[in-house]
Amino acid sequence: MFSSRRSRPINQGNPKVLKARDLPSVVQYIESSACENVMLMLGAGVSTSAGIPDFRSPETGLYSNLQRLNLPHPEAVFEINFFRRNPVPFYTLAHELYPGKFRPTITHSFIRLLAEKKLLHTCFTQNIDTLERRAGVPDEKIIEAHGSFATQRCIDCQRPYDDAKMKDHIKRKAIAKCDSCQGFIKPDIVFFGEGLPSAFARAVPNLRKADLLIVIGTSLTVHPFASLTGMVDESCPRVLINMERVGDFGSRTDDVILLGKCDEIVLELCQSLDWEKDLNRLWELTKASVVTEPEEEVEESKSEELPEPKSAHPRDNLEILAAVEARLAKMSVKEGKEEGKDLEPSTDTVPSNTTASANSTTKEEAEKVAENIVDAIKGAPQGDVLKNDPATMEK
């Protein structure tokens, strides 16, 4: 893969297929018998209104916000060699972006509408979020050039991995390993250092069949995807819907550049085509694509107990105490709800390494351990009392 941001000069010649290089001329062309095979190319800008950040926008882009994961550089989260050494950053990211959390946009519903109108030939997408699928675009019409979260497999033996098990691991931010060889499991997203899907290579020649190419929400900086714009015939009108002019758009006589927010321009296009009612109907259906995970009740068990205090020193027991306090607060909330009281759950943070034991004991046992820890803290030497001092915490 490589990047390029060069743009060619605007072609000043008269259009040969369209009447003019504007939206009304695009509408007229779509309504004509000459437009039968519409091809689309999608980038991250299609999904930003769904709440998914794009990659390169300063401050708000995905790469900018990955600094908190302590990566050597932002792109490392999508590098296969880095993933082999440390899959944690990617699983953290996957937890935030996993399909089901985001609703498809108006633009995604427009793609499905093109399919229903028997106009969509192929939708090439750089996006890994599967929102095209969730909007109801037929699978056979979608080419996920950079892969997606739809499937997953072992990075070593390439054995496919179960969807439900993968979802569970990502939900818990737990690293999934192959049942066969114990290699790391990765969604079928194309990382730097990996080849593009074979389906992408097979679909590229079909661009010659395009009667209209619509490119939406992409910077056209990543190749070979960006090169697809040049693979349609010179006689094929090309429409760019984006915040800025990119690639070589404007270099052909039948290029139309519509600058602005994707959803707004798509809505205007559908209004002009008298498709607005159908578009809204399809977008309304996407509400059901958002999965709201219910809060799971942790089954209580008396077989596991909270550990006894490690020593008389308070520093050794703070995590256990925090877990106990959280557990007691949770019990109080549960009891209050059963009595019809309107109680708010505690917002205390429970350390991950004590959560299991804190959630699997009785209230009486938890209170007993809490008393033991509190007694240990009270009985600690006066000069060793732990304070909320960062310097002290490091010692």
Side-chain angles (χ1 to χ4, degrees):
M1 294 184 183
F2 63 93
S3 298
S4 173
R5 294 192 66 84
R6 291 178 295 176
S7 296
R8 298 181 185 178
I10 296 288
N11 190 310
Q12 301 298 326
N14 294 324
K16 298 176 182 178
V17 178
L18 303 176
K19 286 195 172 182
R21 289 190 288 268
D22 56 19
L23 188 142
S25 297
V26 174
V27 170
Q28 186 177 16
Y29 181 67
I30 291 175
E31 291 176 330
S32 73
S33 59
C35 185
E36 295 182 348
N37 295 314
V38 178
M39 305 275 192
L40 288 106
M41 291 173 57
L42 308 182
V46 173
S47 298
T48 52
S49 64
I52 301 175
D54 63 12
F55 286 87
R56 294 173 175 81
S57 293
E59 298 184 5
T60 61
L62 186 60
Y63 285 156
S64 177
N65 286 294
L66 286 174
Q67 296 177 5
R68 59 188 171 80
L69 297 179
N70 296 319
L71 299 168
H73 50 275
E75 292 85 355
V77 74
F78 292 121
E79 290 178 355
I80 188 62
N81 289 334
F82 182 82
F83 180 84
R84 287 181 182 278
R85 296 193 304 270
N86 182 11
V88 173
F90 174 78
Y91 269 77
T92 302
L93 179 66
H95 177 81
E96 298 177 8
L97 299 181
Y98 202 68
K101 292 186 175 183
F102 302 95
R103 180 183 178 183
T105 68
I106 282 285
T107 302
H108 290 108
S109 293
F110 167 66
I111 302 164
R112 177 177 175 178
L113 183 56
L114 284 173
E116 290 197 354
K117 298 288 185 182
K118 308 299 182 185
L119 292 173
L120 180 64
H121 186 285
T122 305
C123 174
F124 292 89
T125 179
Q126 290 176 285
N127 300 332
I128 61 176
D129 52 40
T130 71
L131 289 184
E132 298 88 5
R133 296 169 182 261
R134 290 182 169 272
V137 180
D139 288 354
E140 66 271 15
K141 299 288 186 181
I142 303 171
I143 296 296
E144 293 162 329
H146 297 163
S148 76
F149 281 105
T151 55
Q152 53 282 317
R153 66 192 66 246
C154 173
I155 63 173
D156 292 328
C157 71
Q158 302 301 308
R159 182 177 180 177
Y161 194 73
D162 181 72
D163 291 347
K165 289 171 65 176
M166 187 63 181
K167 181 178 180 181
D168 177 67
H169 276 80
I170 289 181
K171 179 181 176 182
R172 295 187 288 111
K173 299 182 187 178
I175 311 303
K177 292 186 178 181
C178 179
D179 297 329
S180 178
C181 73
Q182 292 301 298
F184 291 138
I185 302 297
K186 180 181 74 65
D188 289 330
I189 296 167
V190 178
F191 277 24
F192 294 104
E194 294 185 308
L196 297 184
S198 57
F200 175 78
R202 291 195 301 268
V204 168
N206 289 330
L207 286 162
R208 285 294 177 183
K209 301 177 183 178
D211 299 316
L212 175 65
L213 175 67
I214 305 177
V215 179
I216 312 177
T218 173
S219 61
L220 290 180
T221 58
V222 178
H223 290 260
F225 186 88
S227 304
L228 300 186
T229 60
M231 295 183 183
V232 296
D233 194 82
E234 287 283 343
S235 63
C236 175
R238 304 187 305 177
V239 178
L240 174 68
I241 300 175
N242 207 42
M243 294 300 294
E244 59 182 359
R245 184 168 79 96
V246 294
D248 68 344
F249 268 89
S251 65
R252 297 188 181 187
T253 57
D254 285 286
D255 282 351
V256 179
I257 300 172
L258 305 174
L259 300 184
K261 295 181 178 179
C262 302
D263 289 346
E264 293 177 0
I265 294 175
V266 163
L267 180 58
E268 183 180 356
L269 176 62
C270 287
Q271 289 171 338
S272 301
L273 287 163
D274 198 25
W275 291 359
E276 185 178 10
K277 184 177 179 181
D278 289 335
L279 180 68
N280 289 332
R281 170 180 57 83
L282 293 179
W283 191 58
E284 186 67 21
L285 294 176
T286 64
K287 284 183 178 179
S289 70
V290 180
V291 178
T292 303
E293 296 286 352
E295 292 188 8
E296 297 182 358
E297 289 289 334
V298 179
E299 184 179 354
E300 296 183 12
S301 170
K302 295 184 180 180
S303 61
E304 299 180 18
E305 298 181 356
L306 279 170
E308 292 294 324
K310 299 177 183 177
S311 71
H313 199 292
R315 185 183 293 117
D316 296 331
N317 301 295
L318 287 181
E319 287 191 352
I320 300 174
L321 181 59
V324 173
E325 289 176 341
R327 176 62 176 156
L328 293 176
K330 189 172 183 179
M331 287 178 174
S332 297
V333 170
K334 186 175 182 180
E335 290 174 358
K337 287 181 178 178
E338 290 173 353
E339 295 173 7
K341 298 177 182 178
D342 187 16
L343 295 177
E344 292 295 326
S346 168
T347 58
D348 290 342
T349 300
V350 182
S352 59
N353 61 338
T354 59
T355 303
S357 53
N359 285 340
S360 58
T361 185
T362 65
K363 183 175 181 180
E364 291 76 15
E365 291 169 330
E367 288 175 339
K368 179 180 178 181
V369 174
E371 289 173 2
N372 291 340
I373 298 173
V374 171
D375 289 342
I377 293 175
K378 289 180 179 179
Q382 187 68 26
D384 265 342
V385 175
L386 189 63
K387 298 180 181 179
N388 292 326
D389 186 319
T392 308
M393 293 289 283
E394 292 173 0
K395 294 181 180 179

